Short mmCIF file of all heavy atoms in Angstrom, two decimals:
data_model
loop_
_atom_site.label_atom_id
_atom_site.label_comp_id
_atom_site.label_asym_id
_atom_site.label_seq_id
_atom_site.Cartn_x
_atom_site.Cartn_y
_atom_site.Cartn_z
N ILE K 516 -17.21 27.68 2.29
CA ILE K 516 -18.44 26.86 2.16
C ILE K 516 -19.57 27.19 3.17
O ILE K 516 -20.69 27.24 2.84
CB ILE K 516 -18.08 25.26 2.20
CG1 ILE K 516 -17.03 24.96 1.02
CG2 ILE K 516 -19.25 24.50 2.20
CD1 ILE K 516 -16.46 23.63 1.20
N THR K 517 -19.11 27.33 4.36
CA THR K 517 -20.07 27.60 5.53
C THR K 517 -20.75 28.90 5.29
O THR K 517 -22.01 28.96 5.30
CB THR K 517 -19.31 27.73 6.88
OG1 THR K 517 -18.60 26.47 7.11
CG2 THR K 517 -20.36 27.98 8.00
N GLU K 518 -20.05 29.91 4.88
CA GLU K 518 -20.67 31.16 4.57
C GLU K 518 -21.61 31.08 3.43
O GLU K 518 -22.74 31.61 3.42
CB GLU K 518 -19.61 32.31 4.28
CG GLU K 518 -20.23 33.63 4.02
CD GLU K 518 -19.29 34.65 3.50
OE1 GLU K 518 -18.44 34.28 2.60
OE2 GLU K 518 -19.40 35.83 3.94
N ARG K 519 -21.45 30.36 2.38
CA ARG K 519 -22.21 30.22 1.30
C ARG K 519 -23.45 29.51 1.63
O ARG K 519 -24.58 29.88 1.28
CB ARG K 519 -21.53 29.55 0.16
CG ARG K 519 -22.37 29.28 -1.25
CD ARG K 519 -21.52 28.48 -2.19
NE ARG K 519 -21.32 27.21 -1.75
CZ ARG K 519 -20.16 26.41 -2.15
NH1 ARG K 519 -19.46 26.93 -3.09
NH2 ARG K 519 -20.09 25.28 -1.78
N ILE K 520 -23.35 28.42 2.38
CA ILE K 520 -24.62 27.65 2.79
C ILE K 520 -25.46 28.51 3.76
O ILE K 520 -26.73 28.49 3.54
CB ILE K 520 -24.20 26.32 3.48
CG1 ILE K 520 -23.43 25.37 2.65
CG2 ILE K 520 -25.42 25.63 4.19
CD1 ILE K 520 -22.82 24.12 3.35
N VAL K 521 -24.82 29.13 4.72
CA VAL K 521 -25.75 30.15 5.55
C VAL K 521 -26.39 31.09 4.81
O VAL K 521 -27.65 31.31 4.93
CB VAL K 521 -24.75 30.71 6.49
CG1 VAL K 521 -25.37 31.87 7.27
CG2 VAL K 521 -24.28 29.65 7.54
N LEU K 522 -25.67 31.76 3.88
CA LEU K 522 -26.37 32.89 3.02
C LEU K 522 -27.45 32.32 2.12
O LEU K 522 -28.53 32.91 1.93
CB LEU K 522 -25.39 33.56 2.20
CG LEU K 522 -24.32 34.43 3.05
CD1 LEU K 522 -23.34 35.19 2.08
CD2 LEU K 522 -25.01 35.45 3.86
N ASN K 523 -27.21 31.09 1.61
CA ASN K 523 -28.24 30.41 0.79
C ASN K 523 -29.48 30.16 1.60
O ASN K 523 -30.53 30.38 1.19
CB ASN K 523 -27.73 29.24 0.16
CG ASN K 523 -26.74 29.51 -0.95
OD1 ASN K 523 -26.67 30.52 -1.50
ND2 ASN K 523 -25.99 28.58 -1.45
N GLU K 524 -29.26 29.66 2.87
CA GLU K 524 -30.49 29.25 3.67
C GLU K 524 -31.22 30.58 4.11
O GLU K 524 -32.31 30.52 4.10
CB GLU K 524 -29.93 28.50 4.96
CG GLU K 524 -29.49 27.08 4.66
CD GLU K 524 -29.08 26.36 5.85
OE1 GLU K 524 -29.29 26.78 6.98
OE2 GLU K 524 -28.61 25.14 5.69
N ILE K 525 -30.40 31.54 4.51
CA ILE K 525 -31.17 32.80 4.79
C ILE K 525 -31.87 33.45 3.60
O ILE K 525 -32.98 33.92 3.71
CB ILE K 525 -30.07 33.88 5.38
CG1 ILE K 525 -29.53 33.23 6.73
CG2 ILE K 525 -30.79 35.19 5.70
CD1 ILE K 525 -28.43 34.14 7.27
N ALA K 526 -31.26 33.26 2.41
CA ALA K 526 -31.95 33.85 1.21
C ALA K 526 -33.24 33.10 0.94
O ALA K 526 -34.26 33.70 0.63
CB ALA K 526 -31.05 33.68 0.06
N VAL K 527 -33.24 31.78 1.15
CA VAL K 527 -34.48 31.01 0.90
C VAL K 527 -35.53 31.42 1.93
O VAL K 527 -36.68 31.65 1.63
CB VAL K 527 -34.16 29.53 0.99
CG1 VAL K 527 -35.58 28.70 1.03
CG2 VAL K 527 -33.40 29.07 -0.09
N GLU K 528 -35.15 31.56 3.18
CA GLU K 528 -36.11 32.01 4.28
C GLU K 528 -36.66 33.44 3.95
O GLU K 528 -37.84 33.74 4.06
CB GLU K 528 -35.37 31.99 5.58
CG GLU K 528 -34.98 30.63 6.11
CD GLU K 528 -34.19 30.63 7.37
OE1 GLU K 528 -34.25 31.75 8.07
OE2 GLU K 528 -33.63 29.71 7.84
N ALA K 529 -35.71 34.28 3.48
CA ALA K 529 -36.14 35.60 3.15
C ALA K 529 -37.08 35.68 1.99
O ALA K 529 -38.04 36.48 2.05
CB ALA K 529 -34.91 36.55 2.89
N ALA K 530 -36.86 34.83 1.06
CA ALA K 530 -37.74 34.79 -0.13
C ALA K 530 -39.14 34.35 0.34
O ALA K 530 -40.23 34.77 -0.02
CB ALA K 530 -37.24 33.90 -1.16
N ASP K 531 -39.19 33.23 1.27
CA ASP K 531 -40.42 32.77 1.71
C ASP K 531 -41.19 33.80 2.54
O ASP K 531 -42.44 33.91 2.55
CB ASP K 531 -40.18 31.54 2.55
CG ASP K 531 -39.93 30.29 1.60
OD1 ASP K 531 -40.00 30.46 0.45
OD2 ASP K 531 -39.51 29.24 2.29
N ALA K 532 -40.39 34.70 3.30
CA ALA K 532 -41.01 35.62 4.12
C ALA K 532 -41.18 36.99 3.42
O ALA K 532 -41.76 37.95 4.00
CB ALA K 532 -40.20 35.88 5.44
N GLY K 533 -40.77 37.02 2.08
CA GLY K 533 -41.00 38.23 1.35
C GLY K 533 -39.99 39.38 1.75
O GLY K 533 -40.34 40.59 1.60
N ILE K 534 -38.85 39.00 2.24
CA ILE K 534 -37.83 39.98 2.52
C ILE K 534 -36.86 40.13 1.32
O ILE K 534 -36.46 39.17 0.60
CB ILE K 534 -37.00 39.57 3.69
CG1 ILE K 534 -38.00 39.31 4.91
CG2 ILE K 534 -35.95 40.46 4.08
CD1 ILE K 534 -37.29 38.76 6.13
N SER K 535 -36.42 41.40 1.13
CA SER K 535 -35.56 41.62 -0.03
C SER K 535 -34.16 41.11 0.34
O SER K 535 -33.88 40.91 1.47
CB SER K 535 -35.48 43.12 -0.21
OG SER K 535 -34.79 43.78 0.94
N ALA K 536 -33.39 40.80 -0.77
CA ALA K 536 -32.11 40.29 -0.63
C ALA K 536 -31.17 41.12 0.20
O ALA K 536 -30.23 40.75 0.73
CB ALA K 536 -31.44 40.06 -1.97
N ARG K 537 -31.50 42.51 0.27
CA ARG K 537 -30.60 43.45 1.00
C ARG K 537 -30.68 43.07 2.66
O ARG K 537 -29.88 43.51 3.37
CB ARG K 537 -31.00 44.85 0.79
CG ARG K 537 -30.69 45.32 -0.60
CD ARG K 537 -31.07 46.72 -0.67
NE ARG K 537 -30.85 47.21 -2.16
CZ ARG K 537 -31.04 48.39 -2.62
NH1 ARG K 537 -31.61 49.39 -1.71
NH2 ARG K 537 -30.86 48.75 -3.79
N GLY K 538 -31.73 42.47 3.03
CA GLY K 538 -31.75 42.02 4.49
C GLY K 538 -31.35 40.86 4.92
O GLY K 538 -31.90 40.21 5.78
N LEU K 539 -30.37 40.20 4.11
CA LEU K 539 -30.00 38.76 4.44
C LEU K 539 -29.50 38.62 5.83
O LEU K 539 -29.79 37.61 6.50
CB LEU K 539 -28.92 38.38 3.47
CG LEU K 539 -29.25 38.29 2.02
CD1 LEU K 539 -28.13 37.73 1.26
CD2 LEU K 539 -30.52 37.26 1.90
N ALA K 540 -28.78 39.60 6.32
CA ALA K 540 -28.17 39.48 7.71
C ALA K 540 -29.18 39.89 8.81
O ALA K 540 -28.76 39.78 10.00
CB ALA K 540 -26.92 40.28 7.90
N SER K 541 -30.36 40.33 8.49
CA SER K 541 -31.41 40.73 9.53
C SER K 541 -32.18 39.63 9.90
O SER K 541 -32.36 38.59 9.19
CB SER K 541 -32.29 41.70 8.91
OG SER K 541 -31.54 42.87 8.39
N PRO K 542 -32.66 39.55 11.18
CA PRO K 542 -33.45 38.47 11.65
C PRO K 542 -34.69 38.26 10.85
O PRO K 542 -35.37 39.30 10.36
CB PRO K 542 -33.83 38.88 13.10
CG PRO K 542 -32.72 39.90 13.49
CD PRO K 542 -32.36 40.56 12.19
N VAL K 543 -35.20 37.11 10.65
CA VAL K 543 -36.32 36.80 9.90
C VAL K 543 -37.57 37.12 10.76
O VAL K 543 -37.61 36.57 11.82
CB VAL K 543 -36.41 35.28 9.31
CG1 VAL K 543 -37.59 35.10 8.56
CG2 VAL K 543 -35.18 35.16 8.52
#
Side-chain angles (χ1 to χ4, degrees):
I516 296 166
T517 302
E518 182 187 44
R519 183 180 63 205
I520 293 174
V521 166
L522 293 180
N523 285 345
E524 290 185 4
I525 295 177
V527 172
E528 294 176 15
D531 286 351
I534 300 176
S535 66
R537 293 182 179 180
L539 291 184
S541 304
V543 178

